[in-house]
Amino acid sequence: MLKNMQSLFWNLAFKFSVLIVVAAFSKIFIVSFFRIPSNSMQPTLFVGDYIVVAKFIYGARLFNVFLTLKGQKTEIYRPLGFRDIRKNDVVVFNAPYFITKNKLEMNISKYYVKRCIGVPGDSVSLFFNNIESKVYIPHKGDSVLINNDNYMYYYKLIAWEQDDIAKVTCKDSLILLDNSKLSGYRFKQNYYYVIGDNYINSEDSRNWGLLPEDYIVGKACFIWKSIDVNTGKYRFNRFFKMIE
């Protein structure tokens, strides 16, 4: 009898352990689930929508979560996915500012969902001090000329890539790297331009600039359930609706 009980216990323990490993593997490498808290993506997504985000499409991110929680920059590795991020993809990503908007850093506890409308190699309109400029979106390995017209759009990106913000300063419309004038820079990362579908009420690339690929969690694929936050009732017509 005791042997049978022990055998049953270890059998259940093994199955439970397998379930935990499978669930952890799935969360890290395959999919994550998010609830939409704002109307910045209406009419595509509504407050109370619960969405499935596929990590495997772009390749899941692997990094030291504990260092990131401390506000430190850490290396992020992304195994090969099925395809690159494309225009019109709805993507979920970590907020690009944690403590101050003067320094680009990944906020691991805050997520945004927006539509990608600019990919590496495109040029988009960005505003700085109410002045509009056409800005090139860097591709990893691209060498970009730095001048008086574009330095303010690349400054924080370069500081982030250099790891030590003290190495990069901005003075008299110039970017200085180790106190030397920077007239050009070869970027180490792909960047994207993202905007909310409800562009009147959305904090996005128009506010804080280009988004590093490292910050992107995955592609928003479909709504698995939806609850009206005002009535508490299920919106069954939105269940399993594809996100386009």
Side-chain angles (χ1 to χ4, degrees):
M1 181 68 176
L2 181 60
K3 263 190 172 183
N4 289 339
M5 291 294 291
Q6 288 177 335
S7 177
L8 179 62
F9 171 79
W10 288 114
N11 188 37
L12 290 173
F14 173 75
K15 289 180 178 179
F16 185 67
S17 299
V18 169
L19 285 174
I20 291 176
V21 170
V22 169
F25 179 87
S26 176
K27 184 173 177 58
I28 294 172
F29 292 99
I30 303 177
V31 296
S32 282
F33 304 89
F34 295 90
R35 176 185 176 276
I36 302 302
S38 76
N39 65 358
S40 69
M41 277 296 292
Q42 283 186 347
T44 304
L45 297 171
F46 289 85
V47 178
D49 284 346
Y50 290 75
I51 64 173
V52 174
V53 175
K55 296 181 174 181
F56 64 89
I57 292 178
Y58 306 142
R61 301 178 303 171
L62 300 175
F63 60 96
N64 189 324
V65 176
F66 301 105
L67 286 180
T68 307
L69 285 170
K70 294 178 181 178
Q72 299 180 30
K73 185 174 183 292
T74 180
E75 289 293 324
I76 294 179
Y77 304 95
R78 193 187 293 271
L80 286 176
F82 285 92
R83 66 169 178 83
D84 294 333
I85 300 161
R86 297 174 183 166
K87 280 185 187 178
N88 210 43
D89 281 357
V90 176
V91 297
V92 169
F93 55 93
N94 291 107
Y97 293 94
F98 185 47
I99 299 172
T100 169
K101 287 195 175 182
N102 292 322
K103 180 183 177 184
L104 187 68
E105 52 188 330
M106 189 165 68
N107 187 343
I108 194 66
S109 61
K110 188 174 182 179
Y111 298 88
Y112 288 151
V113 56
K114 308 291 177 187
R115 189 177 299 277
C116 176
I117 65 168
V119 296
D122 290 343
S123 292
V124 294
S125 295
L126 289 177
F127 289 86
F128 185 80
N129 290 338
N130 294 320
I131 299 174
E132 182 181 12
S133 296
K134 207 71 172 171
V135 179
Y136 177 77
I137 304 177
H139 190 284
K140 181 179 179 181
D142 281 349
S143 291
V144 178
L145 293 175
I146 307 298
N147 54 44
N148 290 355
D149 296 324
N150 65 18
Y151 76 95
M152 72 285 287
Y153 303 108
Y154 295 130
Y155 164 57
K156 286 181 282 189
L157 306 183
I158 295 170
W160 175 72
E161 287 198 352
Q162 290 296 313
D163 295 338
D164 183 1
I165 196 169
K167 292 172 62 177
V168 183
T169 55
C170 192
K171 184 179 180 182
D172 298 329
S173 301
L174 297 172
I175 297 178
L176 305 178
L177 178 59
D178 290 328
N179 294 318
S180 297
K181 176 187 173 182
L182 198 64
S183 57
Y185 182 78
R186 186 181 295 277
F187 283 90
K188 304 175 183 178
Q189 175 89 209
N190 292 326
Y191 292 89
Y192 299 87
Y193 187 69
V194 295
I195 287 183
D197 285 357
N198 183 7
Y199 61 90
I200 296 175
N201 186 32
S202 174
E203 183 178 345
D204 47 44
S205 284
R206 295 169 299 171
N207 306 99
W208 34 255
L210 301 179
L211 177 71
E213 184 172 336
D214 277 354
Y215 286 40
I216 296 176
V217 176
K219 183 181 185 298
C221 290
F222 65 90
I223 301 164
W224 70 274
K225 77 172 181 179
S226 182
I227 300 174
D228 189 315
V229 293
N230 296 315
T231 65
K233 294 181 179 179
Y234 287 112
R235 293 182 289 220
F236 290 106
N237 64 317
R238 298 187 63 76
F239 278 38
F240 300 105
K241 182 178 181 180
M242 299 302 295
I243 298 172
E244 297 175 347

